[in-house]
Amino acid sequence: MRARLGVVAALALGVLMAPAATADWPMFRGDGRNTGDAGKGGEALPAKPELLWTFRGGEGFEATPTVAGGRVYTASLDGRLHALDLETGRPRWSKSFEAGFRASPTVHDGTLYLGDDAGVFHALDAATGEERWSFATDGEIVSSANLAGGCVLFGSYDQFLYCLDPQSGKPRWKLETGGPVHASPAVADGLAVVGGCDGLLRRVRLEDGVELPPVTLGGYIGASPAVAGGRAYLGTFESEVVALGLADGERVWTYSDPKRSFPFYASPAVGPRHVVIAGRDKRVHGIDRATGRGSWTFATRAKVEASPVIAGGRVFAAGEDGVLYGLDLDTGEERWRFEIGDALEASPAVAAG
């Protein structure tokens, strides 16, 4: 489902200068492990954020905005890519493409990496928008890129996971899967970790593309895995959230609600004690990271496709009811909300307060 309003909003203190914090949010889930945790950068957010600016452009935004080097990068469903000033929201540059974007931009070492709905993967100069190279796949690209081990990693609907050379765009290796790869890969311990529409979680060695034995989860996987403490966490369309050992692929725990069976499309966020995930059951779930037992749930007015983020002791979740919620990480109690007024599909990003 597509967002109806092409608006990007920045919320912080009601002044133009953000609090002193240096953390960026350079990719879909903030870091290479896809944890969705802003760390110390999230602690700089005020208790009640206020609107700083809005930017309206394009048909709508499903991709999460990313933040690097004082700029916000955002890509729209009708193929427009914008670099905005972080403090003011004013465009630094804009560029139009023939195909739209649902993947989020990734910025690394001055290069912006992004795949489009026509299956073309682009590498652009982050400062100017000038294209450095492109690579064509045979299917649309919704998977956001990750970088590690000399690879630009992403999946395609052509049923491959790709590792491209970051400088040249030439393939180093590619791995065939049994279905489209919608999710964004995580990287940890020399492995790329990704789920697919074939119901498998795959662990692939970065150095050579050799796959470890895949883990069968029994259902479609649209969510991106989060990796922390030697475990991978993700939700499935079989209404389960699972924790798996990264080294052996063994299931550590499974979370589900016996009374409500709805898919988990959003990717989880992993904090020190909780895994937080949102579902099509119109709820945000806080799960004990060690045991897999439910700690709390918070009810929204519509399903939640966007992936929640952790910032300090809070969770921020964006719903299709048009509300950005700020919840207590330990209890799930609502601490703050921001009414946007139309469905939110893109996930929040947290950077520089």
Side-chain angles (χ1 to χ4, degrees), residues 52-78:
L52 284 178
W53 52 259
T54 61
F55 172 80
R56 184 182 296 273
E59 177 185 323
F61 298 100
E62 188 172 310
T64 298
T66 52
V67 182
R71 294 185 180 185
V72 179
Y73 297 92
T74 184
S76 66
L77 291 165
D78 58 354

Side-chain angles (χ1 to χ4, degrees), residues 19-26 30 37-44 67-70 86 349-353:
T22 58
D24 284 339
W25 194 274
D37 186 350
K40 291 184 178 180
E43 296 173 3
V67 182
L86 176 60
V350 178

Side-chain angles (χ1 to χ4, degrees), residues 28-197:
F28 168 49
R29 299 300 286 147
D31 59 38
R33 293 175 179 258
N34 286 350
T35 63
D37 186 350
K40 291 184 178 180
E43 296 173 3
L45 283 173
K48 295 183 178 181
E50 297 179 4
L51 183 66
L52 284 178
W53 52 259
T54 61
F55 172 80
R56 184 182 296 273
E59 177 185 323
F61 298 100
E62 188 172 310
T64 298
T66 52
V67 182
R71 294 185 180 185
V72 179
Y73 297 92
T74 184
S76 66
L77 291 165
D78 58 354
R80 302 182 192 179
L81 179 62
H82 305 279
L84 311 176
D85 184 89
L86 176 60
E87 291 186 5
T88 67
R90 295 170 184 161
R92 294 287 190 90
W93 57 259
S94 297
K95 189 178 179 72
S96 295
F97 295 80
E98 293 183 1
F101 297 103
R102 286 180 290 160
S104 300
T106 297
V107 180
H108 182 77
D109 285 346
T111 301
L112 185 152
Y113 300 96
L114 179 63
D116 66 27
D117 284 349
V120 179
F121 190 83
H122 306 271
L124 310 173
D125 186 298
T128 65
E130 181 180 353
E131 188 141 25
R132 291 179 170 172
W133 53 259
S134 63
F135 176 84
T137 73
D138 292 324
E140 60 194 285
I141 301 172
V142 182
S143 171
S144 300
N146 207 333
L147 285 98
C151 287
V152 181
L153 293 156
F154 64 92
S156 170
Y157 269 50
D158 67 3
Q159 304 187 28
F160 280 94
L161 175 68
Y162 288 91
C163 163
L164 306 184
D165 181 90
Q167 301 300 319
S168 67
K170 295 180 179 179
R172 289 188 51 204
W173 54 258
K174 64 178 184 177
L175 176 76
E176 187 171 10
T177 68
V181 182
H182 183 94
S184 303
V187 294
D189 302 337
L191 298 173
V193 185
V194 68
C197 298

